Amino acid sequence: MPTNRQILLDNRPQGEATTANFKLVSVDTPALQPQEVLVRHHYLSLDPYMRGRMNDSKSYAASQPLGEVMIGGTVGEVVESQHPRYQPGDKVVGMGGWQEYSVVDASQPGALRKVDTAQVPLSYYLGAVGMPGVTAWYGLVKIIAPKAGDTVVVSAATGAVGSAFGALAKARGCHVVGIAGGAEKCQYAVQELGFDACVDYRPHKDMYSLAKALKEVAPKGIDGYFENVGGMVMDAVMLRMNAFGRIALCGMIAGYDGQPLPMANPALMLINRLKVEGFIVSEHMEVWPEALAELAGLVAQGKLRPRETISQGIESAPEAFLGLLKGKNFGKQLVKLV
Amino acid sequence: MPTNRQILLDNRPQGEATTANFKLVSVDTPALQPQEVLVRHHYLSLDPYMRGRMNDSKSYAASQPLGEVMIGGTVGEVVESQHPRYQPGDKVVGMGGWQEYSVVDASQPGALRKVDTAQVPLSYYLGAVGMPGVTAWYGLVKIIAPKAGDTVVVSAATGAVGSAFGALAKARGCHVVGIAGGAEKCQYAVQELGFDACVDYRPHKDMYSLAKALKEVAPKGIDGYFENVGGMVMDAVMLRMNAFGRIALCGMIAGYDGQPLPMANPALMLINRLKVEGFIVSEHMEVWPEALAELAGLVAQGKLRPRETISQGIESAPEAFLGLLKGKNFGKQLVKLV
């Protein structure tokens, strides 16, 4: 059996996460039991939610146990199978974790999903046509529920979720504004991702300055906001929300290290009669087929061209993950494992 | 024609509101035009929303113009009528403002509403069977939408909205917890208003202490919260919200004087997948008939016995209003004008 290199969570972060929280180990892959499949991972997905799992405290979901392989989405190829539905060579998506191989009980519903790479590159199933894409779809369609002509805004606009949000919102006739860190990302959002405008938050020292910049590109106010970030960016957007606006709350990356991250003026939720709703896409599996079909269609039509940042080798995962938390990636952050 | 004493907004508050912001004047009531009705007010309602209207800035609704009679709900008796549907002696509810008489164009839809005082005392139409009661109904029924057995919490529990909320929630089989300022109010909430428990927030120095007290009386966590207050009380409740909890945002009285009033940990909205929704009951007129019918029924059955704090004479209105903002009232704050 092949040797499998894995990244374990070795200890929990005290404040900011560091590479010392992780540990690289090598193990042999075990012999397969009936119904099991051995998958060789081609790509590992790195996502902000993983930071929450590293804490012991209550977060999105169960805490990641110490000494176990870090959780994570993977795409790969079946190399050996004891399950009749899977053959060597099949391309599959699963939650293989931060390792080069995984052994999966394929009889568990949802554990593996075969994917078609004729029109959609394999890695996209971890981004635009995967969990991040469905996340954008749920927040836009089920929470923001925009009408054509509505102004919608997304933070972390060039990320995996933001890119998909932009394409989905344009397809619904919205005026779509992104917020991103840096002129290069903003230029990319407009020129490649089809955003109507994008605001670089970095030059803005406070929420009033950023709100003023948003006013210039969203002169009719903001009807829907998809929140990937929290903090000052959210405070600024709230200053520009229209009455009866909707905010889909998906990520608050700036608060994961445990600093208090207050909302400056929650009374705006009352004054403008906003609806603010937090969600986790894995609790809404019923929308996945519809969402994935639309996302795959947008990719096939060239209307969703997500960017990827790819680091090489499982040993690069911790560094790449810490960079993601600081916004160093550009588009979907992946680790290539083959 | 009788002389009419009025309270005008003379100037806007700089920070905290004071009696110097108001001005008492006397004018003659004008002769009636066709369709007009002269109403002698028996009671004026004082409500927290009025503080927002005193500011120039964007708030709930249009700012109260300077030099004009303060806005406010009134109940009274028709003393003269040029409209065929109204006769002297009719009891009516309207938005007569801070004055002893009002002249109303009764042909305007919704300007006046005749009420029946056989089973419901006239003053209740400003409280439990009026705008505050419907406010409680909307937040509970349309936003919180509880199931029997859910734990629901309301702040300012002995106020006009809180009292009605308690009765409406008990009628739906909820475990109902109030939050109020002082042992006397809490005792009243449990003994007279039918709350299952009530927490006095005053001894608690921070949100963690108050959250611990809430845990004792709401051991299964909180499914729905009706927010009349904001600030530390809301922060504490958020620490105890269950997954998929709903928060109806109705008032943030502590922030009206312009101090920043941040929310300590907005990430809890994401972590617990909360839905937070601000609303103004006057934008949901479609629910009023159903809500008023239920509220009048609860009063008639003795299941809703709201308390009132009544000051005497129009000249007492500013002082009584400032007391309301500080929580000095006990139950619905009214001004008796006859």
Side-chain angles (χ1 to χ4, degrees):
Chain A
M1 306 299 291
T3 296
N4 180 23
R5 292 191 302 160
Q6 308 176 315
I7 305 266
L8 314 181
L9 181 63
D10 188 55
N11 54 79
R12 299 196 189 280
Q14 309 296 317
E16 202 169 319
T18 72
T19 55
N21 299 132
F22 303 98
K23 185 176 171 183
L24 177 67
V25 299
S26 289
V27 295
D28 290 334
T29 53
L32 296 187
Q33 304 296 313
Q35 313 297 325
E36 287 186 342
V37 171
L38 178 66
V39 180
R40 184 178 186 195
H41 300 156
H42 288 207
Y43 292 96
L44 162 67
S45 175
L46 295 177
D47 300 277
Y49 77 86
M50 295 165 171
R51 179 62 187 84
R53 303 263 178 124
M54 291 173 74
N55 291 340
D56 207 9
S57 57
K58 196 177 174 186
S59 178
Y60 276 53
S63 179
Q64 160 83 41
L66 288 178
E68 293 191 11
V69 177
M70 278 289 294
I71 192 174
T74 47
V75 288
E77 185 174 344
V78 172
V79 289
E80 200 186 324
S81 175
Q82 294 290 337
H83 191 286
R85 226 172 45 235
Y86 295 90
Q87 307 304 325
D90 284 350
K91 299 294 190 298
V92 290
V93 181
M95 289 297 287
W98 293 27
Q99 56 184 339
E100 293 173 319
Y101 291 86
S102 59
V103 173
V104 182
D105 178 353
S107 65
Q108 294 289 322
L112 279 186
R113 184 165 54 89
K114 274 197 261 194
V115 294
D116 177 0
T117 53
Q119 299 212 60
V120 175
L122 182 60
S123 63
Y124 282 24
Y125 288 104
L126 294 176
V129 191
M131 187 270 282
V134 179
T135 299
W137 191 96
Y138 187 89
L140 179 71
V141 175
K142 294 295 181 181
I143 297 178
I144 295 173
K147 300 185 305 293
D150 276 3
T151 295
V152 298
V153 175
V154 62
S155 56
T158 60
V161 175
S163 312
F165 183 92
L168 292 164
K170 283 311 296 177
R172 285 161 177 76
C174 296
H175 181 69
V176 189
V177 173
I179 301 174
E184 192 197 356
K185 284 184 180 175
C186 277
Q187 194 174 22
Y188 184 80
V190 173
Q191 292 180 354
E192 296 295 323
L193 296 174
F195 281 79
D196 293 297
C198 185
V199 174
D200 177 6
Y201 68 83
R202 290 191 179 165
H204 298 284
K205 288 203 188 63
D206 63 32
M207 63 177 175
Y208 300 106
S209 170
L210 180 54
K212 199 175 158 198
L214 285 167
K215 187 176 183 177
E216 282 169 26
V217 294
K220 293 184 201 163
I222 298 166
D223 302 297
Y225 179 47
F226 190 105
E227 178 57 276
N228 283 311
V229 173
M232 189 269 270
V233 171
M234 182 168 186
D235 289 334
V237 172
M238 283 182 66
L239 289 169
R240 297 296 310 149
M241 291 295 292
N242 288 329
F244 307 108
R246 291 82 62 196
I247 298 181
L249 209 54
C250 168
M252 300 194 111
I253 193 171
Y256 284 164
D257 284 338
Q259 326 95 308
L261 188 76
M263 176 188 287
N265 194 354
L268 289 169
M269 296 191 290
L270 171 56
I271 292 166
N272 293 324
R273 291 86 85 202
L274 304 183
K275 188 175 82 172
V276 182
E277 194 167 339
F279 73 103
I280 302 176
V281 73
S282 56
E283 292 175 334
H284 304 280
M285 294 311 293
E286 73 286 358
V287 309
W288 283 57
E290 181 184 355
L292 289 173
E294 180 177 356
L295 292 157
L298 288 170
V299 167
Q301 296 161 45
K303 292 181 178 168
L304 173 50
R305 297 190 301 276
R307 185 152 165 173
E308 298 173 334
T309 295
I310 300 174
S311 74
Q312 182 63 47
I314 189 68
E315 66 280 9
S316 72
E319 198 79 57
F321 176 64
L322 300 177
L324 167 74
L325 295 181
K326 294 195 154 70
K328 289 185 183 168
N329 60 309
F330 194 151
K332 174 66 197 171
Q333 178 70 55
L334 298 168
V335 182
K336 195 163 191 299
L337 301 173
V338 292
Chain B
M1 306 298 291
T3 296
N4 180 22
R5 292 192 300 161
Q6 308 176 316
I7 306 265
L8 314 181
L9 181 63
D10 188 55
N11 55 80
R12 300 197 189 279
Q14 309 295 319
E16 200 169 321
T18 72
T19 55
N21 300 132
F22 303 98
K23 185 175 169 183
L24 178 68
V25 299
S26 289
V27 296
D28 290 335
T29 53
L32 296 186
Q33 303 295 314
Q35 312 296 327
E36 287 186 343
V37 171
L38 179 66
V39 181
R40 185 180 186 194
H41 301 155
H42 289 207
Y43 294 95
L44 162 67
S45 175
L46 296 178
D47 300 277
Y49 77 86
M50 295 166 171
R51 179 62 188 82
R53 304 262 177 126
M54 291 173 75
N55 291 340
D56 207 8
S57 56
K58 196 177 175 187
S59 179
Y60 275 55
S63 178
Q64 160 83 40
L66 289 178
E68 293 191 10
V69 177
M70 279 288 294
I71 191 174
T74 47
V75 287
E77 185 175 343
V78 173
V79 289
E80 201 187 323
S81 175
Q82 294 290 338
H83 191 287
R85 227 173 43 233
Y86 294 90
Q87 306 303 326
D90 285 350
K91 299 295 191 297
V92 290
V93 182
M95 289 296 287
W98 294 27
Q99 55 185 339
E100 294 173 318
Y101 291 87
S102 60
V103 173
V104 182
D105 178 354
S107 65
Q108 294 288 323
L112 279 186
R113 182 165 55 91
K114 274 197 262 193
V115 294
D116 176 0
T117 54
Q119 299 212 62
V120 175
L122 182 59
S123 63
Y124 282 25
Y125 287 104
L126 294 176
V129 191
M131 187 269 283
V134 180
T135 299
W137 191 96
Y138 187 88
L140 179 71
V141 176
K142 294 295 181 180
I143 297 178
I144 296 174
K147 300 184 305 293
D150 276 3
T151 296
V152 298
V153 175
V154 62
S155 55
T158 60
V161 175
S163 313
F165 183 91
L168 292 165
K170 283 311 296 177
R172 284 161 178 76
C174 296
H175 181 68
V176 189
V177 174
I179 301 174
E184 191 196 357
K185 285 183 179 175
C186 276
Q187 195 174 22
Y188 183 80
V190 173
Q191 293 181 353
E192 296 296 322
L193 295 175
F195 281 79
D196 294 296
C198 184
V199 174
D200 177 7
Y201 68 83
R202 289 192 180 165
H204 298 283
K205 287 202 189 64
D206 62 32
M207 62 177 177
Y208 300 106
S209 170
L210 180 54
K212 198 175 158 198
L214 285 167
K215 187 175 184 177
E216 283 168 27
V217 294
K220 294 184 201 163
I222 298 167
D223 302 296
Y225 179 47
F226 191 105
E227 178 57 275
N228 283 311
V229 173
M232 189 269 268
V233 171
M234 182 168 186
D235 289 335
V237 172
M238 283 181 66
L239 289 169
R240 297 296 309 147
M241 291 296 292
N242 288 329
F244 307 108
R246 291 82 62 195
I247 298 180
L249 209 54
C250 169
M252 299 194 112
I253 193 170
Y256 286 165
D257 284 337
Q259 326 94 307
L261 189 76
M263 175 188 288
N265 194 353
L268 289 169
M269 296 191 290
L270 172 56
I271 292 167
N272 293 324
R273 292 85 85 199
L274 305 183
K275 188 176 81 172
V276 182
E277 193 168 340
F279 74 102
I280 302 176
V281 73
S282 56
E283 292 176 333
H284 304 280
M285 295 309 295
E286 73 285 358
V287 308
W288 282 56
E290 181 184 355
L292 289 173
E294 180 177 356
L295 292 157
L298 288 170
V299 167
Q301 296 161 45
K303 291 181 178 169
L304 172 50
R305 296 189 301 276
R307 184 150 166 174
E308 297 174 333
T309 295
I310 300 175
S311 74
Q312 182 62 48
I314 188 68
E315 66 280 8
S316 72
E319 197 79 56
F321 176 64
L322 300 176
L324 167 74
L325 294 181
K326 294 193 153 72
K328 289 185 183 167
N329 59 309
F330 195 150
K332 174 67 195 170
Q333 178 70 55
L334 298 168
V335 182
K336 195 164 192 297
L337 301 173
V338 291

